Amino acid sequence: MPANERQHIKDLSYPVSPDMDSQVGPDRPHTASELFRNFMIMSTCFSINHGTVTAMLALATSNPNLGGNLGNLQNGLLYGCYTITALCFAKIIVYYTGYKNGIIAGLSVYVIYVASFLVADKAPSVKWPACIFGGCMGGIAAGFLWTAQGAYFSRNAALYAEAAGISKEQATLTFAGWFALPYLGFEVVFKLLQSYIGLDSGPLSAGWAQGKNFIYVINTICAVLAVFGCLRIMPLKEDDKEEDPGQMAAREPLLTIMTRQALAASKLFITDPKMPLMMSMNIAFGVTAAYINSYTTSVVATHFLGSGYAGYLAAITAGVAALLSFPLTNLGLITSGLCGMELSKETEKSFKRSAMVVGPICFALVSLLPIIMGYKSSGIGNWGGLVLLYVLQGVRSSWAAVESAVIPLGFDFRLVAGCGRPPTRPSLRTTLHTTRSADSRT
């Protein structure tokens, strides 16, 4: 890694006056330290809010207040709305909100999803409409939030690369590693809290009688505070925008515009050879994520291990991903810091290509091991076997962390209503899986 980038990362504690922008003017170039600090503020606030969402999403099917059917239905609606919004509406929404306000709006709508669990707990008579509405709003939020976050991520990385005197590719890979730390770290924290505080009795529980009620309050408050924290991030100058969708709507029906944007992904799939290559990976992730969340956690783990372990098992996946994501995307920084050795770009690229192969192998094992060994005490129906499944699912970071860094380099966010990670294919597959799971258990 270039010495100038290492120096900028070391100097992140350099004091920056809060009113420096007003003293110098809004168009002054930001330093690399300011841009890195801004990125970490965004990443931390985004991760706290999203951590509350993923904790609820993973435990929805094992939540005794909802029951398996309502939890699966809520998850299915969330992913369905996620897919539709990302395909048809994300581009228009982010055009009008901008990158920063798009992030703030998405996190704000996410609060509705988190709060729906609080409503369902306090008012059981309206838990069905509350959870259905919350699931739909959570999906809508995800549909345009990742688009705004991906564009902001890419823009912040480009400005940092310019300020630090490094390539955009190196800056993007570095940012991907740093983003993964709070993103997966807070996911671990909030999933652990669901079992430790959210259960008033049972294994590894805090034994707090009111914990079951207050865990929803804690999650909602944290989600709201994260929204206010994101108000502090820089309104980075955006790329030149295309034609105003409002002007387009004046000439043609909105349905036509939505259809064209939805077909943009299909067109890109046909014209860009990179798209089919990514499809199998995202389908694999969608299938295994649905399988782990909607069946293994709620049915298998409860049967063989007992109730109360769902949060801890889900945290294993996020914890493994967090441990692997940073070294996989920042190998150059680690080797230069620990060994004083500079790696060539070719060496780093070769390492990342090799690491990404581990991802699909682990996804295959998550599906194949239960078939080969069976869910029984002598197979994987025990602590060792189930923990292994969650560890294998966590190794998804061997490709997901690198994928999140590579996609912004290969795609223009103005071309398709996508995001830092492609949402549509895994969302469609997960929608089918969670809905099928709900039907099979009715």
Side-chain angles (χ1 to χ4, degrees):
M1 174 176 291
N4 54 347
E5 183 185 2
R6 294 200 304 272
Q7 184 61 38
H8 281 301
I9 293 179
K10 291 178 181 178
D11 292 342
L12 292 180
S13 60
Y14 173 80
V16 179
S17 172
D19 59 342
M20 185 177 289
D21 282 336
S22 61
Q23 293 174 358
V24 181
D27 296 328
R28 74 170 182 85
H30 296 288
T31 66
S33 295
E34 289 177 281
L35 290 165
F36 190 92
R37 186 180 297 113
N38 174 72
F39 177 77
M40 291 309 298
I41 292 174
M42 184 277 292
S43 299
T44 302
C45 295
F46 182 95
S47 300
I48 291 173
N49 182 285
H50 198 268
T52 65
V53 172
T54 54
M56 294 289 93
L57 182 64
L59 300 180
T61 56
S62 61
N63 190 320
N65 294 330
L66 302 186
N69 291 337
L70 180 55
N72 274 315
L73 175 61
Q74 186 186 47
N75 284 357
L77 289 172
L78 184 146
Y79 282 111
C81 292
Y82 181 178
T83 303
I84 294 170
T85 304
L87 279 173
C88 302
F89 301 105
K91 187 175 180 181
I92 296 177
I93 293 173
V94 175
Y95 180 93
Y96 284 116
T97 61
Y99 302 158
K100 173 184 174 178
N101 291 332
I103 293 175
I104 294 172
L107 297 181
S108 299
V109 180
Y110 256 163
V111 172
I112 299 176
Y113 170 74
V114 177
S116 69
F117 288 84
L118 179 61
V119 175
D121 180 66
K122 297 297 183 182
S125 61
V126 296
K127 70 177 182 179
W128 274 83
C131 289
I132 289 173
F133 179 72
C136 292
M137 296 306 294
I140 292 171
F144 70 88
L145 171 62
W146 281 107
T147 301
Q149 187 272 349
Y152 191 92
F153 178 112
S154 183
R155 186 60 180 158
N156 202 153
L159 293 174
Y160 174 80
E162 182 179 348
I166 60 175
S167 68
K168 182 181 177 182
E169 179 182 6
Q170 184 60 50
T172 303
L173 290 172
T174 299
F175 274 22
W178 284 105
F179 175 78
L181 288 179
Y183 179 74
L184 295 169
F186 282 111
E187 184 177 338
V188 172
V189 169
F190 283 103
K191 285 180 177 177
L192 289 176
L193 286 177
Q194 308 315 305
S195 289
Y196 184 69
I197 296 179
L199 296 175
D200 54 6
S201 62
L204 303 177
S205 169
W208 184 18
Q210 298 300 318
K212 181 181 72 68
N213 299 320
F214 274 93
I215 190 62
Y216 303 119
V217 177
I218 294 171
N219 283 351
T220 304
I221 291 175
C222 289
V224 171
L225 291 176
V227 175
F228 284 103
C230 261
L231 295 174
R232 298 284 299 172
I233 64 176
M234 299 176 183
L236 301 178
K237 184 179 179 182
E238 300 172 14
D239 298 326
D240 294 334
K241 294 183 177 180
E242 297 175 337
E243 184 179 8
D244 188 334
Q247 296 176 357
M248 296 169 61
R251 297 195 311 270
E252 52 187 341
L254 182 60
L255 179 61
T256 302
I257 300 173
M258 291 167 49
T259 302
R260 183 170 61 249
Q261 293 186 6
L263 292 175
S266 301
K267 180 180 179 182
L268 195 62
F269 177 81
I270 296 172
T271 59
D272 194 317
K274 291 174 285 189
M275 293 293 286
L277 295 176
M278 292 192 300
M279 184 174 182
S280 59
M281 295 289 289
N282 287 288
I283 289 178
F285 176 78
V287 171
T288 56
Y291 176 67
I292 289 290
N293 290 336
S294 297
Y295 182 69
T296 307
T297 300
S298 61
V299 179
V300 178
T302 301
H303 176 76
F304 286 101
L305 306 181
S307 60
Y309 293 105
Y312 297 107
L313 292 172
I316 291 174
T317 295
V320 171
L323 290 174
L324 293 178
S325 60
F326 186 80
L328 288 174
T329 52
N330 289 279
L331 182 64
L333 178 64
I334 293 173
T335 54
S336 71
L338 296 179
C339 308
M341 180 177 63
E342 298 285 349
L343 292 182
S344 66
K345 290 184 177 180
E346 278 303 316
T347 302
E348 287 197 61
K349 287 181 179 179
S350 177
F351 172 79
K352 291 181 175 67
R353 283 195 294 266
S354 301
M356 289 190 72
V357 176
V358 180
I361 293 175
C362 291
F363 286 142
L365 289 174
V366 168
S367 300
L368 292 176
L369 285 179
I371 298 175
I372 297 172
M373 302 180 65
Y375 280 128
K376 52 188 178 181
S377 299
S378 59
I380 58 173
N382 50 60
W383 269 105
L386 290 175
V387 167
L388 176 61
L389 290 183
Y390 286 89
V391 169
L392 291 172
Q393 181 71 1
V395 183
R396 73 182 190 267
S397 65
S398 65
W399 66 272
V402 179
E403 181 194 49
S404 297
V406 171
I407 287 178
L409 300 175
F411 293 92
D412 186 340
F413 285 96
R414 295 172 297 174
L415 293 178
V416 60
C419 63
R421 60 186 63 182
T424 52
R425 289 183 296 276
S427 298
L428 283 168
R429 198 69 177 97
T430 309
T431 299
L432 296 175
H433 246 264
T434 51
T435 303
R436 185 182 307 156
S437 177
D439 290 340
S440 66
R441 295 170 59 188
T442 301

